[in-house]
Amino acid sequence: MPTRWTLRLHSDPTPRYATPQQLHGLACALFEGAGADHTGQSKSFTTSSLLAGGQPSARFAELCLGWLDDTRVPAVEALTGRNIRLGAQLLTVHDVRREAAPYQALLAAPADSNRIEMTFVTPTHFNRSDRYIPLPDPELVYQSLLRRWNRFAPEPIAESLAEELISAVVLAEHDVASCSVDLGPGRRIGFTGRSVFTLLNRAGDQAHRIFTALSRFASVAGVGAQTTHGQGYVRITPARTRTPGRGPVTHA
């Protein structure tokens, strides 16, 4: 089931920047083990970058790991008290917080918000026709989420419903900035910041239900490319309630 772990990490001296390659290597070691094909294109896990730990001491950092497979869930909580390595850094897992929701529970959640605020915490970009797109394009955002959902959920979202959602989702607000990240073979231009997505009036209740489920799924699945390398990590905030059967009045 979709599961997110937040690892609170401690080191002395202060935790330092971890490269996308180091983050990917750690996640592969934790979720796939030795001898696995770490070059596969479809991974069941995601990782954030090293994030501020929210502690008075600067010696703490946080790392968020996501798991999408519905058939098994790794015991990441067992890492508590152990040391993990990110490049030359040795960090101690101080504690692990786990949050999980089965795919059916995500679909059953009340679709009581017609606006979703998505904060792109780590650099995000999309690949489209051999071009890198560093913008919060609503179609690309929700197509990315649909692909991951249909790859790992026990029941895929029907094509007609997916098409209705993609044709109705719009970007209502944004405050993003471009940034550059080194992903090994070359640099990518991505973006970070805040975006608000909503649906056009023509979207029905089922499309709103899928919109809500995919938006909540994003906090585990990540958005865009290189989500196994610390890219595309997002936080979700629902905003403004809706009346069932009625969409927003904007973008008529």
Side-chain angles (χ1 to χ4, degrees):
M1 72 179 75
T3 304
R4 183 178 63 191
W5 298 272
T6 301
L7 281 61
R8 193 156 60 103
L9 306 173
H10 175 269
S11 74
D12 188 7
T14 301
R16 304 184 304 277
Y17 171 78
T19 68
Q21 295 77 17
Q22 291 168 352
L23 294 164
H24 179 70
L26 172 64
C28 286
L30 292 177
F31 292 120
E32 296 182 331
D37 177 14
H38 301 317
T39 63
Q41 294 299 304
S42 183
K43 299 287 190 180
S44 57
F45 61 85
T46 63
T47 178
S48 72
S49 60
L50 277 185
L51 307 169
Q55 295 289 325
S57 168
R59 294 175 181 175
F60 283 90
E62 288 187 347
L63 179 68
C64 294
L65 301 172
W67 182 256
L68 309 181
D69 195 344
D70 200 52
T71 59
R72 64 184 181 90
V73 179
V76 175
E77 297 91 326
L79 292 173
T80 302
R82 291 173 53 186
N83 292 331
I84 59 174
R85 185 172 292 280
L86 277 169
Q89 297 187 80
L90 193 64
L91 303 106
T92 300
V93 181
H94 188 272
D95 57 61
V96 178
R97 185 172 71 251
R98 178 179 183 267
E99 302 167 84
Y103 284 95
Q104 286 303 317
L106 291 172
L107 286 172
D112 55 3
S113 176
N114 59 16
R115 291 163 61 90
I116 295 292
E117 180 176 312
M118 190 175 293
T119 300
F120 297 86
V121 179
T122 64
T124 304
H125 73 277
F126 302 92
N127 296 332
R128 189 175 200 180
S129 301
D130 295 324
R131 293 178 298 150
Y132 301 113
I133 301 177
L135 295 167
D137 180 286
E139 182 176 335
L140 296 179
V141 168
Y142 282 87
Q143 282 180 338
S144 167
L145 293 169
L146 276 164
R147 283 193 297 272
R148 284 182 195 147
W149 181 288
N150 287 345
R151 169 66 178 83
F152 294 104
E155 294 184 14
I157 293 171
E159 185 175 350
S160 60
L161 196 53
E163 290 176 352
E164 180 184 357
L165 169 67
I166 294 301
S167 70
V169 66
V170 294
L171 179 64
E173 302 173 21
H174 70 89
D175 182 11
V176 300
S178 62
C179 54
S180 176
V181 60
D182 184 357
L183 289 172
R187 299 193 72 81
R188 301 285 186 272
I189 302 299
F191 68 93
T192 57
R194 168 186 169 274
S195 297
V196 175
F197 299 99
T198 187
L199 295 180
L200 296 174
N201 283 341
R202 64 171 176 263
D205 288 346
Q206 285 288 84
H208 274 93
R209 183 171 62 90
I210 299 301
F211 174 64
T212 299
L214 289 175
S215 299
R216 295 180 178 180
F217 179 61
S219 63
V220 177
V223 173
Q226 303 289 310
T227 56
T228 63
H229 289 68
Q231 310 302 292
Y233 173 69
V234 302
R235 293 177 178 141
I236 304 300
T237 305
R240 188 180 303 175
T241 58
R242 65 179 287 266
T243 302
R246 296 185 61 188
V249 298
T250 56
H251 304 281

